[in-house]
Amino acid sequence: MFTYSIPTKIYFGKGQLNSLGNVISDYGKKVLLVYGGGSIKKTGVYDIVCSQLKQMKLQIYELSGIEPNPKIDSVRKGIAVCKQESIEAVIAVGGGSVIDAAKFIAAGACVDFDVWDFISKKSTVQNVLPVFSVLTISATGSEMDNTAVLNNPETMEKLALIDDKLFPAASFCDPTLTYTVSSYQTACGSADIFSHIIEVYFNRNQDLYMLDTQMEGMLKTVIKYAPVAMAEPDNYDARANLMWTSTWAINGYIYGCKKAPWSCHPMEHQLSAVYDITHGLGLAILIPHWMEYVLDDSTVQKFYDFAVNVCGITPAEDKILTAKMGIEFVKDFLYNKLNLKRSLSEIDIDDTNFVSMAEKACGANGYIDGWKKLYPKDVLAIYKSAL
């Protein structure tokens, strides 16, 4: 049994930014424009967005410099602007980090306590300024989900806030805006999309066959189109398929009855928090090692289904062997097709912080209650295997 509802309205396809000003003007006149390092100015997206807003005579305030793995100081600056200027809507132009920052800003602007209290003290999200996103990279799916992740360098933590009030009011998803995304970032984004589906597909709760087949189709879509987008950056079909898969991979649709917590993301969040690496790269390094660690007689059937239905491995009587061939297929996709690094040592990470990272990944409960329960010793073993 489950309840499914998504309030986010999606404007998908080439030219959809032409609706931006009209849509946002219904929510207020004072808007905060949030973006990253300035690439949107080089690509012309910034000018298009500002033109749309100015046509509707909206007052634009700006917060630039949002970092990958968005930092709490940037979010606090945005909250201060919202309170000082009585901002009525927040517009994120960029990828998942910018959208996540905008969500925290929108929630923090409506309370009188520090934004980190949402996470550290489990303070309640009260009201949220309406959030809009203009997506420029296919990866996190933040454009249509109820989650935001924030990095606090003060505590060396990267943690998520989940609340239905965080769903964006509307998101503008034009695949042509991702043409300028580099091959490397396309690869990392694709690994992120892939991981979101994997986290749900390998799940111990009740299955719905229909949703499993949907996930298998999404995984095959990423496998097919990510290398195409890397080789042909302006291939509309490749970019559109990745963008729409990104959006639907994490908006709750595929979850159904699958409620167990994710496994790889808590482990990777510690990598991002301590070493500030690209999220998708960290996931790409960890996923195959997690797969190998949790594969056994109790989990083999799902790995077997994955190998046959997603990877195209010819079914064999030995299910463990078939499952291992599926894992090798994943390695080939991530490391050869996407050209991502295959080990932590390749990105200059050693085991210095692994013990504390493993403990933080397991949280207050002392374990990750995922498909297979992982204790700090298990997480530590996975980190070490990824060296």
Side-chain angles (χ1 to χ4, degrees), residues 54 71 96 107 131 167 172-173 186 259 326 360 366:
K54 289 175 181 177
K71 307 296 189 297
V131 174
F167 277 111
F172 296 79
C173 303
T186 298
K259 303 299 183 184
K360 286 185 177 181

Side-chain angles (χ1 to χ4, degrees), residues 292 295-297 299-301 303-308 311-330:
E292 290 173 334
L295 172 61
D296 59 26
D297 289 339
T299 61
V300 67
Q301 183 60 52
F303 276 110
Y304 177 87
D305 293 342
F306 171 80
V308 173
C311 307
I313 305 299
T314 301
E317 185 175 343
D318 186 340
K319 290 190 174 182
I320 288 286
L321 177 60
T322 303
K324 288 181 176 179
M325 292 174 68
I327 296 173
E328 290 303 313
F329 179 95
V330 172

Side-chain angles (χ1 to χ4, degrees), residues 240-255:
N241 274 281
L242 288 176
M243 180 173 277
W244 201 222
T245 304
S246 165
T247 300
W248 282 90
I250 197 173
N251 66 10
Y253 167 66
I254 61 175
Y255 296 0

Side-chain angles (χ1 to χ4, degrees), residues 17-333:
L17 280 186
N18 293 332
S19 304
L20 180 70
N22 246 344
V23 172
I24 295 175
S25 65
D26 290 338
Y27 291 81
K29 291 296 183 182
K30 298 177 117 181
V31 300
L32 177 65
L33 186 63
V34 180
Y35 56 97
S39 62
I40 63 169
K41 292 185 176 181
K42 296 176 183 177
T43 60
V45 177
Y46 173 87
D47 291 336
I48 297 172
V49 169
C50 288
S51 174
Q52 277 288 312
L53 300 177
K54 289 175 181 177
Q55 283 180 27
M56 302 306 296
K57 303 189 183 309
L58 302 182
Q59 296 180 51
I60 306 170
Y61 299 82
E62 295 188 22
L63 177 68
S64 61
I66 299 297
E67 311 89 348
N69 300 314
K71 307 296 189 297
I72 192 168
D73 282 350
S74 296
V75 166
R76 285 171 175 153
K77 289 177 184 177
I79 291 170
V81 173
C82 287
K83 290 181 176 181
Q84 181 177 334
E85 304 296 342
S86 299
I87 296 296
E88 296 170 283
V90 182
I91 307 168
V93 184
S97 293
V98 174
I99 301 171
D100 282 2
K103 290 178 180 179
F104 271 105
I105 291 168
C110 298
V111 295
D112 58 5
F113 51 78
D114 184 67
V115 66
W116 192 248
D117 287 357
F118 286 128
I119 293 172
S120 63
K121 297 182 179 178
K122 308 299 181 187
S123 297
T124 303
V125 176
Q126 297 174 8
N127 292 309
V128 175
L129 297 177
V131 174
F132 301 86
S133 76
V134 176
L135 190 63
T136 61
I137 181 172
S138 305
T140 70
S142 293
E143 65 274 8
M144 199 183 184
D145 77 3
N146 63 348
T147 303
V149 177
L150 187 60
N151 193 326
N152 188 344
E154 301 161 15
T155 61
M156 294 185 72
E157 292 177 294
K158 179 181 177 183
L159 297 169
L161 176 65
I162 303 174
D163 192 287
D164 283 353
K165 296 185 183 73
L166 298 180
F167 277 111
S171 290
F172 296 79
C173 303
D174 181 343
T176 65
L177 301 185
T178 66
Y179 283 178
T180 57
V181 176
S182 69
S183 176
Y184 171 70
Q185 288 297 339
T186 298
C188 289
S190 298
D192 198 7
I193 301 168
F194 191 83
S195 74
H196 293 158
I197 308 165
I198 287 292
E199 296 272 32
V200 183
Y201 185 82
F202 292 102
N203 195 299
R204 66 173 183 263
N205 297 122
Q206 177 185 347
D207 285 343
L208 284 176
Y209 173 79
M210 171 267 192
L211 289 177
D212 278 354
T213 61
Q214 295 287 294
M215 285 185 273
E216 289 164 357
M218 289 180 180
L219 290 166
K220 290 165 72 173
T221 298
V222 178
I223 291 167
K224 176 178 180 177
Y225 282 109
V228 176
M230 291 170 64
E232 306 170 30
D234 58 353
N235 185 307
Y236 184 87
D237 285 343
R239 295 295 191 181
N241 274 281
L242 288 176
M243 180 173 277
W244 201 222
T245 304
S246 165
T247 300
W248 282 90
I250 197 173
N251 66 10
Y253 167 66
I254 61 175
Y255 296 0
C257 302
K258 299 171 182 287
K259 303 299 183 184
W262 292 5
S263 297
C264 294
H265 275 69
M267 292 189 287
E268 197 291 320
H269 282 167
Q270 294 310 309
L271 287 173
S272 297
V274 176
Y275 299 102
D276 203 25
I277 64 172
T278 302
H279 179 55
L281 172 60
L283 287 166
I285 293 172
L286 290 178
I287 285 173
H289 296 281
W290 169 80
M291 286 180 155
E292 290 173 334
Y293 193 84
V294 301
L295 172 61
D296 59 26
D297 289 339
S298 69
T299 61
V300 67
Q301 183 60 52
K302 200 69 179 181
F303 276 110
Y304 177 87
D305 293 342
F306 171 80
V308 173
N309 298 335
V310 176
C311 307
I313 305 299
T314 301
E317 185 175 343
D318 186 340
K319 290 190 174 182
I320 288 286
L321 177 60
T322 303
K324 288 181 176 179
M325 292 174 68
I327 296 173
E328 290 303 313
F329 179 95
V330 172
K331 290 180 181 179
D332 179 68
F333 170 64

